[in-house]
Each structure stands twice: as C-alpha cells, then as structure tokens.
Amino acid sequence: MFSTYIRRLSAQSTVAMACTFLASAASAQPSEPIKVGLMLPTSGTFAELGKKVANGFKLYVTENGGKLAGRTVQYVELDDESDPSKANENTNKLIKRDRVDVLVGTIHSGVAMTMARVARDTNTLMIVPNAGAAELTGSMCAPNVFRTSFSNWQPGYASGLLAARKRKTAVTISWKYAAGDESVRGFREGFEKGGGRVIKDLNLPFPNVEFQPLLTELATIKPEAAYVFVAGAGQVKFVRDYAAAGLKNSIPLYGAFITEGTLEAQGEAASGLQTALHYADGLKNAKNDAFIASHKKAFNTVPDVFAVQGYDAAQLFAAGLNAVKGDTGKKAEMIKAMESAKLDSPRGPLSFSKSHNPIQDMYARVAIGKQNVMTDVIVKTLADPSLDCKL
Ligand code: BEZ
C-alpha cells in the first residue's frame, strides 16, 4: 500500500518536473538567438546584388542593437550561386540542418521558386528580398511567403509606360529565364497601353554576356527604342557594349535595373539612360536621408535598390516579431502583423497586397553622373494583379 503510494507520488512528481521543465523551456525560447537564414549569391553574376541585400538586412538589425523583438540575431549564410539545380538541397540545409526561424532569399527567380516550394512544404517563414518571379506571389503564393522587392511585371510595366511617352516601336533583349520573360511581358503591356508596339523579342541564355549578335540584329531592325532585362555583372557589360556598338544615340535604350548600383563602372556609356524602378538615388524623404547616412557610415558606400529591399525584409520580419514579442511559435499572429504592416521604407510608403507583394510607387529616373535621379512618378501605388493567388 505504502509502496504503491510512493510509486504514484514519484510518478506525479516526475510529471510535475517534466511540466516545469517544458514550461521553462518554452518561456526561455524567446531569449535565445533568432536564426536568420540568408540564402543569397556570394559568387557569380549576381554576387554584388546578394551582398547588397545582406548588407541592407544587417543594417536594420545593427540599427536596432543587433536584436529583433529583444532577441539577438544570428545569421546562417549560404551561397546559392544563382543555381536552380542546387536550390532544393541548399534550402533543405538551412531549414532542416540549421533550423532557421526565417529564410531570406534570393536574387534569382528560378532559385527562389524552389526555395518557396520547400518553405511552403515545411511551413517556414520566407521573405523574398529580390527575385521577381510571378509565381512567388501568384500561383504559388502562401501565407508564409512574403516579398519586399517587386514582381518582374512591376518594373517591366512601368518601363513600358515610360518608353511609350516618346517612342512607338521597340525590340526587347533579355536573358531567357523566368525573370527575363516576365519583365518583357510587363514592358509589352505598359508599352502597348501607351500606344507602342513591340516588333521583336531577342534573347540569350542566363548568364551569357555575348551580346554582340543581338546588337547586330537590333541595329538591322532599327526600332525607335530597345528594352533590356539583364542584371548584375551582365548589365555593366551590356551598357558598355551598347555604347561601343554606336547604338546609344540611334536607338534609345530603356530598362529597369540596367544602371542600378553600377553607374561608376559604366561611366559615360550609361549617361542619360532612362530607367523605371521603385527607388532612386537621393530620393527625398526623411527615411531615405537617414538610410543613406546610416549605410554610408556602415559600409562607406551609397545604397541602391537591393540594399533597400534587404533593409525592408528585416523591417517586415521585425513587424511580425514585435507583434508576438519575439515568440516565433505564434506564426499565425506573426503573419497577420506582416500582412497589415505599413513600412516606412527608404523608397517611400510600403504596404503589401493580399498576395504578399509590395504595393509601391514606380519612379522614372535618368542617369546623371553617378546617380539615377528621379524625374517623376510613373505610376503611384502599383500593385501586381496576382490573379492566380488564392489567398
Ligand atoms: C530575378 O531573377 O528575378 C532578378 C534578378 C536580378 C534582378 C532582378 C530580377
């Protein structure tokens, strides 16, 4: 009888001890570091873009004392090489081996689509700080996937409206992958809306930079304008090749990213080029003034759109974390807060559509010296239609 009592008592106290342990483990969790998985390219054509996104993200965290919602931030960084064939393995490493709390990535649309598939299947929070693939906030949209950059359609469409102000025929040149195709589709829609007509689409495989045959064909067609989607290291070479081929004055060149962050390397070849994007150098608002100063102090360089997108990824994550006091277990509450976030971005006010894509102003810019200077707003609060998203 006595021994049964002792056994029951010890069983009860074991349960009580276990409960106490679990309760303290749960309440201890928010004081542990929060793990941020930065899956970005640090090699290849998009390496510089990846670095700028990472710098932007880290800048926001540093401005907040290295913490988000009271928790120290720990980074796990992985070079995705802008290689879609390695994306599944790389994403699984970050989620299953490193157990990151949030996945931040990436630049290349093809890589980002695989990342989003894995994030969706494992219910991991993901923030896309660049890749513009339509599917990310379209047919593949998910409650746990957000984007702080653009859909490829947005800058393409704004560029089409911009070019149509003065030109009525155009040829497009793009890298043959999701981003190139979608950017050109956006351009065509905007250009046709403005009364223009795209005569021909030319392309080459990503990340090929042998532009000469395409430039020769363009010169033969003689459209009133050309629109190009290439980025990163490719954009520097394209703009230089375009000027060297003597096309700069005869066939005005338009694009979204072609002069972003690279004016110093492009020099005179880029002077006067008109582009459309959701950021411009020296954009006049208080947040951007502070952002530029802070970025210069931290990295001794002026920021560009990629730094802004990384910074806003951190701001968006912080909005979710603050709503749950750092408890990432409360995912539904975090997502709700992120969905309704109104961010004070260096690009201007930033909110999110139902599909979790940015709603933002699109600016016309002209390259003067080392700056892409804003001339006017082409479209205010442009949202991607995201027709296939069922959120
Ligand atoms: C993309 O792959 O979506 C992309 C890459 C670089 C610049 C813009 C878009």
Side-chain angles (χ1 to χ4, degrees):
M1 184 90 163
F2 183 71
S3 62
T4 313
Y5 172 74
I6 291 289
R7 238 182 286 127
R8 224 180 266 153
L9 196 65
S10 82
Q12 278 169 3
S13 62
T14 307
V15 169
M17 272 165 62
C19 287
T20 312
F21 172 75
L22 285 177
S24 68
S27 60
Q29 204 180 342
S31 64
E32 287 168 12
I34 194 145
K35 275 193 177 181
V36 174
L38 292 179
M39 184 161 153
L40 292 161
T42 55
S43 61
T45 306
F46 291 157
E48 197 56 29
L49 281 50
K51 184 171 128 192
K52 286 166 173 174
V53 165
N55 281 352
F57 193 100
K58 290 174 184 174
L59 183 61
Y60 180 80
V61 174
T62 305
E63 284 175 358
N64 287 276
K67 290 185 174 185
L68 294 180
R71 293 177 67 181
T72 305
V73 174
Q74 182 187 331
Y75 299 103
V76 185
E77 302 189 49
L78 191 153
D79 178 10
D80 68 37
E81 302 169 55
S82 298
D83 185 348
S85 74
K86 296 182 181 163
N88 187 52
E89 193 186 333
N90 283 336
T91 312
N92 273 299
K93 264 189 209 158
L94 286 176
I95 293 175
K96 293 182 184 153
R97 182 194 66 188
D98 301 321
R99 309 187 78 77
V100 297
D101 294 296
V102 63
L103 188 60
V104 178
T106 186
I107 304 296
H108 185 286
S109 274
V111 176
M113 282 193 276
T114 297
M115 290 174 74
R117 208 164 290 127
V118 181
R120 199 182 46 187
D121 293 349
T122 54
N123 195 24
T124 306
L125 185 64
M126 173 175 174
I127 303 177
V128 182
N130 184 72
E135 285 177 48
L136 294 170
T137 54
S139 59
M140 280 176 60
C141 72
N144 55 314
V145 177
F146 288 79
R147 176 153 56 195
T148 56
S149 49
F150 53 88
S151 70
N152 288 315
W153 175 85
Q154 285 175 306
Y157 175 73
S159 300
L161 291 175
L162 174 67
R165 287 176 178 174
K166 288 193 187 155
R167 324 281 165 198
K168 294 302 165 212
T169 59
V171 165
T172 70
I173 298 179
S174 62
W175 271 329
K176 188 82 199 134
Y177 79 109
D181 295 348
E182 292 168 6
S183 175
V184 164
R185 223 173 289 143
F187 174 81
R188 184 188 307 278
E189 192 180 326
F191 197 53
E192 286 177 356
K193 189 165 183 204
R197 186 168 59 88
V198 174
I199 307 172
K200 191 158 188 179
D201 297 322
L202 304 174
N203 44 60
L204 73 171
F206 171 86
N208 197 325
V209 290
E210 293 311 313
F211 302 119
Q212 204 49 56
L214 303 183
L215 297 181
T216 305
E217 191 172 348
L218 175 70
T220 320
I221 303 171
K222 291 195 181 68
E224 287 178 31
Y227 173 73
V228 64
F229 175 87
V230 291
Q235 79 198 37
V236 176
K237 180 159 190 304
F238 185 90
V239 167
R240 284 209 201 123
D241 287 2
Y242 201 82
L247 294 170
K248 194 174 162 214
N249 295 325
S250 54
I251 306 176
L253 179 63
Y254 292 85
F257 295 93
I258 50 167
T259 56
E260 188 62 16
T262 48
L263 286 173
E264 192 147 351
Q266 289 163 325
E268 194 45 38
S271 175
L273 289 189
Q274 284 187 272
T275 49
L277 217 52
H278 44 286
Y279 184 63
D281 292 320
L283 203 60
K284 273 289 146 224
N285 66 61
K287 182 71 185 184
N288 195 36
D289 289 347
F291 176 66
I292 292 171
S294 174
H295 192 279
K296 267 191 194 155
K297 193 167 165 215
F299 309 111
N300 204 22
T301 56
V302 286
D304 61 9
V305 76
F306 304 104
V308 173
Q309 293 166 178
Y311 187 86
D312 288 340
Q315 286 212 79
L316 180 61
F317 186 40
L321 283 172
N322 287 335
V324 295
K325 299 193 170 52
D327 184 353
T328 46
K330 295 182 176 163
K331 201 165 274 170
E333 275 178 63
M334 272 185 82
I335 288 173
K336 220 167 142 208
M338 290 166 74
E339 284 175 333
S340 58
K342 304 243 177 295
L343 301 184
D344 185 13
S345 167
R347 75 188 87 178
L350 176 62
S351 59
F352 297 87
S353 65
K354 276 184 83 170
S355 66
H356 298 176
N357 195 62
I359 300 174
Q360 54 196 342
D361 294 349
M362 302 301 301
Y363 306 108
R365 305 118 44 95
V366 61
I368 302 173
K370 289 179 190 160
Q371 290 212 312
N372 289 295
V373 178
M374 197 263 263
T375 55
D376 63 297
V377 179
I378 305 172
V379 207
K380 270 202 91 60
T381 57
L382 183 66
D384 184 283
S386 303
L387 297 175
D388 298 330
C389 175
K390 300 288 176 263
L391 280 180

